[in-house]
């Protein structure tokens, strides 16, 4: 109760200040200035259009001091997936190379700049400002965004942006939705009897707007195990996924609006053997108030709830892969609650100051059956807990992104609590084996960022330093797990991760040409990793540090009706470890490649023909912390072509991994390789009305 009251108090104080707002009508000079400002903003790589339509206050220039990119053209359907589009940006690393159709849902964390080695996300993923990490495990349910009309994704590399909330160690991946006007629908058929259907419809309702988005996809799937290593137990891994979302926006007075959204999704997938079916169900709801008059005090308030219910089976496969038995069945119900308020006072003729507070609470537990005799479990385990974080932030930004000097300074202070955790293990037909209670803990953390960008004609120079932190997830703290013969124990005494970092960058933009290069360095202390203690025995521990440094390069050239874009990241990451983890000292973190890049060509003409082609490269990386198991490098090539038959009708064809490259996604201690998506072809149609 004390934590709840603290969170409410932190949110109410800025609201009482904002209540003194007495905005006046703009003069003719103000209106003229507003037109000029709007014209300038349309040149900022379309960022304002994407962000401001997603239920947020106007975009500031603060992120100009760090490497930032925008991903657009995210039309749903025809097999397209947002997690695969993120792979077009070099330096974005997902824990597994598989996508949301075949990967285990608990392995879908995401990070940036080599801060890896853990399936929990070290990048903060948000949807319209709401944190998206699973409340229990910290992974991301990418299939939950299939039924959302996404306008774009902004990727800010580097931590310390206190206004985004805690958890942005490696950076922020912000998804921005859009209200549909009119209607669109698509239907596609693909390899292995796959279907993908999506629809969005929206329009005016009373004094506001409403939009409904939905998507359904299914497929027979492919056999995950690489050819030549399969046995009788290996089969195709089918999937079936769908979601529905409703978003409403209503006027609430001059320059004010209320927005409400609710979405639900269901995900069923299989890992390619018996006893490996997984299920993820989720419901999210949010309510927000936006007051954004021009040249007046501005206010934003948000409250949200996230419900997750995850089930998964795990199997034990014989060495010859000719027999399989159940090893574990897991169910994880979890809840996330949160609220946020932000106030931007009018100072002079602008709103350079952002002050606010936020609160997030997570609760969850894992219910597991294991020690099977045949198909009957012998033991049951329950483990879980709760956490709260209350934070306050302030940010001052001065200047305009496209010319002159922009500088920003921000700071954030968080108070965190871990409630009493627990782990109970018992024989299903007998006595209790383990009954543990873990003492509650609490602490303070600070984060912040300072940086500047200077622009002269086509040239921009920028630099920033930052500090961020991340609280261990409930999964990392309390849940042990087993993969085959490998046992990993939990660690209720894990400390928060802390990061110091900095970067220097240069951008050059003239007419249809854009070039960018960024040098970065990061020092992550208390990095959480699975540390090998003995053969087949690991434990989650805080490493001394993970140090990363590298360079990110991107280039974009618009050529008449085509846009050519290339990106490359070189990341040198090493572990600094001692004591029980000393064997890891100087090694590369697991699941982090030194090299990665992509080259893409996309049509941008208004004629009847359109298309894209993307070549991606991912370098070799270690599967385990000791570097004994190596995942080889891989090239993949995706392409698509569209033909508009009429103003409202088009047909499309696209292919994933067209050269059918073997992309190793995992490798076991026995050398069994699991692959990511093989060649997949799609043909479909899209209509608008």
């Amino acid at each position: 109760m004390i934590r709840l009251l603290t969170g409410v108090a932190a949110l109410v104080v800025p609201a009482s200040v904002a209540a003194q707002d007495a905005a006046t009508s703009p003069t003719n000079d103000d209106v003229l200035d507003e037109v000029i400002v709007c014209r300038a903003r349309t040149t900022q790589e379309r960022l304002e259009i994407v962000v401001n339509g997603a239920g947020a206050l106007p975009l500031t220039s603060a992120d100009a001091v760090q490497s930032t990119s925008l991903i657009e053209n995210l039309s749903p359907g025809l097999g397209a997936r947002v997690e695969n589009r993120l792979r077009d940006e070099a330096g974005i690393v997902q824990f597994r190379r598989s996508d949301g159709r075949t990967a285990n849902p608990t392995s879908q964390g995401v990070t940036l700049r080599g801060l890896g080695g853990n399936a929990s996300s070290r990048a903060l993923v948000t949807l319209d400002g709401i944190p998206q990490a699973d409340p229990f495990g910290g992974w991301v349910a990418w299939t939950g965004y299939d039924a959302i009309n996404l306008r774009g994704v902004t990727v800010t590399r580097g931590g310390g942006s206190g206004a985004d909330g805690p958890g942005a160690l490696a950076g922020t991946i912000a998804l921005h939705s859009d209200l549909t006007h009119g209607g669109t629908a698509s239907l596609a058929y693909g390899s292995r009897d796959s279907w993908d259907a999506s629809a969005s419809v929206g329009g005016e309702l009373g004094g506001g707007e409403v939009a409904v988005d939905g998507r359904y996809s299914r497929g027979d799937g492919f056999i995950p195990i690489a050819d030549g290593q399969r046995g009788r137990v290996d089969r195709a891994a089918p999937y079936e996924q769908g979601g529905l979302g409703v978003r409403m926006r209503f006027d609430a007075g001059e320059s004010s609006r209320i927005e409400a959204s609710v979405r639900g999704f269901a995900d069923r997938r299989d890992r390619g053997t018996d006893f490996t079916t997984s299920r993820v169900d989720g419901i999210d709801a949010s309510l927000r108030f936006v007051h954004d008059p021009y040249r007046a005090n501005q206010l934003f308030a948000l409250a949200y709830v996230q419900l997750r219910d995850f089930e998964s089976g795990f199997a034990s496969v014989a060495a010859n892969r000719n027999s399989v038995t159940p090893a574990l069945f897991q169910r994880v119900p979890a809840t996330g609650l949160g609220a946020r308020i932000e106030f931007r006072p009018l100072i002079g003729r602008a709103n350079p100051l952002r002050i606010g507070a936020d609160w997030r609470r997570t609760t969850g537990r894992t219910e597991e059956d294991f020690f099977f005799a045949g198909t009957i479990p012998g033991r049951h385990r329950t483990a879980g807990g709760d956490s709260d974080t209350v934070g306050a932030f302030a940010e001052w930004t001065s200047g305009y992104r496209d010319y002159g000097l922009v500088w920003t300074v921000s700071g954030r202070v968080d108070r965190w609590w871990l409630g009493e955790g627990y782990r109970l293990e018992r024989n299903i037909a007998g006595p209790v084996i383990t009954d543990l209670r873990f003492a509650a803990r609490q602490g303070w953390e600070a984060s912040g960022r300072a940086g500047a960008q200077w622009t002269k004609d086509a040239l921009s120079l920028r630099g920033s330093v930052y500090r961020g932190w991340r609280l261990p997830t409930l999964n990392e703290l309390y849940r042990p797990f087993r993969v085959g013969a490998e046992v990993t124990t939990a660690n209720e005494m894990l400390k928060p991760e802390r990061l110091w970092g900095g970067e220097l960058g240069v951008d050059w933009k003239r007419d249809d040409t854009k070039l960018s290069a960024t040098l970065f360095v990061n020092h992550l202390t208390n990095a959480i990793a699975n540390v090998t203690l003995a053969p087949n025995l690991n434990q989650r521990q805080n490493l001394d540090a993970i140090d990363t440094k590298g360079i990110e390069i991107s280039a974009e050239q618009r050529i008449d009706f085509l846009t050519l874009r290339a990106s490359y990241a070189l990341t040198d990451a090493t572990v600094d470890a001692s004591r029980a983890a000393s064997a890891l000292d100087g090694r590369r973190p697991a699941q982090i490649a030194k090299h990665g890049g992509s080259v893409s060509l996309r049509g941008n003409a208004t004629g009847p023909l359109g298309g894209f082609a993307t070549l991606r490269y991912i370098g070799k990386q270690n599967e385990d912390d000791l570097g004994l198991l190596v995942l080889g490098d891989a090239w993949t090539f995706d392409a698509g072509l569209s033909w508009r038959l009429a103003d409202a009708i088009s047909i499309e064809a696209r292919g994933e991994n067209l050269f059918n490259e073997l992309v190793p996604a995992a490798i076991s201690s026995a050398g069994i390789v699991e692959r990511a998506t093989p060649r997949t072809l799609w043909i479909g149609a899209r209509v608008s009305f």
Side-chain angles (χ1 to χ4, degrees), residues 524-537:
L524 176 65
T525 60
N526 295 335
I528 299 171
N530 298 332
V531 176
T532 300
L533 304 179
N536 297 329
L537 178 62

Side-chain angles (χ1 to χ4, degrees), residues 531 533 541-545 575-586:
V531 176
L533 304 179
Q541 292 187 4
N542 289 111
L543 304 176
D544 294 340
V575 172
D576 181 8
S578 58
R579 300 180 298 277
S582 59
L584 307 185
D585 191 54

Side-chain angles (χ1 to χ4, degrees), residues 7 44 65 69 191 211 250 263 276 296 311 320 439 469 493 511 525 647:
Q44 297 181 26
V65 303
S69 56
S191 302
F250 297 98
R263 67 184 178 100
T276 60
E311 289 183 359
N320 61 7
W469 74 283
M493 296 307 297
D511 300 326
T525 60
D647 288 342

Side-chain angles (χ1 to χ4, degrees), residues 51 62 79 94 165 173 215 234 265 288 299 314-315 369 436 453-454 474 490 514 534 542 549 585 634-635 672:
V51 175
Q94 298 173 45
I173 300 174
R215 185 173 180 180
D234 294 302
F265 65 91
R288 68 186 68 211
L299 177 67
F314 298 83
D369 293 328
L436 300 176
Q453 180 200 56
W454 177 79
L474 303 177
K514 299 177 184 178
N542 289 111
K549 57 183 180 293
D585 191 54
W635 293 85
I672 302 300

Side-chain angles (χ1 to χ4, degrees), residues 312-620:
S312 183
F314 298 83
S316 177
V317 180
N320 61 7
R321 303 197 66 81
N322 288 331
S323 63
V324 59
T325 58
L328 181 141
F329 177 79
Q330 177 188 19
R331 178 172 179 259
V332 181
T335 301
L337 299 171
R340 170 188 172 89
I341 192 165
E342 179 180 336
F343 177 59
R344 300 184 186 179
L346 179 67
I347 300 176
R349 295 165 62 87
N351 304 85
L353 177 64
R354 306 171 65 181
I355 55 175
D358 51 48
W359 162 66
R360 178 166 170 83
R361 176 175 175 80
T362 65
T363 62
R365 70 181 189 277
T366 179
E367 299 275 356
E368 301 176 4
D369 293 328
F370 58 109
F371 272 18
F372 280 79
T375 59
I376 306 300
R379 289 186 183 178
H380 181 81
R381 175 168 54 225
T382 300
D386 61 78
S387 70
D388 286 89
T389 304
V390 176
F393 64 87
E395 178 181 88
W396 182 283
T397 303
S398 179
Y400 296 98
R401 180 188 298 262
D402 282 342
Y403 57 89
L405 178 67
V406 174
W407 62 271
T408 183
V409 177
S410 66
R412 179 184 177 91
V413 177
D414 288 288
R415 178 67 166 171
W416 59 266
W417 293 266
L418 289 174
E420 184 182 64
Y422 58 90
R423 183 163 66 247
L424 172 68
E425 293 187 14
R426 61 180 176 84
N427 287 313
I428 292 178
V432 171
I433 300 171
T434 302
D435 188 359
L436 300 176
R437 294 293 184 271
F438 308 115
R441 291 189 285 151
Q442 54 192 327
W444 293 91
E445 292 291 341
S447 54
R449 175 179 67 180
Q453 180 200 56
W454 177 79
T455 301
K456 177 66 173 178
D457 298 326
L459 181 67
S460 295
L461 303 176
R462 52 183 164 77
S464 64
V465 293
Y466 43 81
R467 185 185 192 275
W469 74 283
R470 182 182 76 91
L471 190 67
T473 66
L474 303 177
N475 180 69
E476 292 169 323
L477 290 164
Y478 305 124
R479 182 197 173 239
F481 69 94
R482 180 182 186 126
V483 178
E486 295 277 339
V487 175
T488 300
T489 62
N491 186 349
E492 68 280 0
M493 296 307 297
L494 290 172
K495 303 172 185 177
E497 297 179 332
R498 304 182 180 99
L499 176 134
W500 286 95
E503 65 181 74
L504 293 172
V506 57
D507 304 299
W508 190 83
K509 180 172 63 175
R510 173 167 291 171
D511 300 326
D512 295 329
T513 304
K514 299 177 184 178
L515 302 172
S516 178
T518 304
L519 295 171
F520 66 87
V521 59
N522 288 314
H523 180 68
L524 176 65
T525 60
N526 295 335
I528 299 171
N530 298 332
V531 176
T532 300
L533 304 179
N536 297 329
L537 178 62
N538 312 298
Q539 185 187 41
R540 296 190 185 96
Q541 292 187 4
N542 289 111
L543 304 176
D544 294 340
I546 293 178
D547 293 302
T548 71
K549 57 183 180 293
I551 184 171
E552 299 158 341
I553 300 172
S554 66
E556 183 176 309
Q557 178 67 54
R558 187 182 178 106
I559 310 169
D560 294 329
F561 56 88
L562 296 173
T563 297
L564 177 66
R565 176 174 170 78
S567 67
Y568 168 76
L570 184 152
T571 306
D572 183 14
T574 57
V575 172
D576 181 8
S578 58
R579 300 180 298 277
S582 59
L584 307 185
D585 191 54
R587 298 184 183 274
R588 174 174 290 274
Q591 306 297 335
I592 295 298
K594 187 172 184 178
H595 302 280
S598 71
V599 178
S600 63
L601 187 65
R602 291 188 175 271
N604 49 40
T606 58
L609 291 178
F612 76 93
T614 301
L615 179 67
R616 301 189 190 97
Y617 174 75
I618 180 69
K620 67 178 182 179

Side-chain angles (χ1 to χ4, degrees), residues 218-240:
R218 58 89 54 209
D220 289 346
F222 61 91
I223 301 175
I225 301 302
D227 191 17
Q229 297 183 320
R230 300 168 188 165
R232 289 197 300 266
V233 302
D234 294 302
R235 53 171 172 74
Y239 67 92
E240 185 175 22

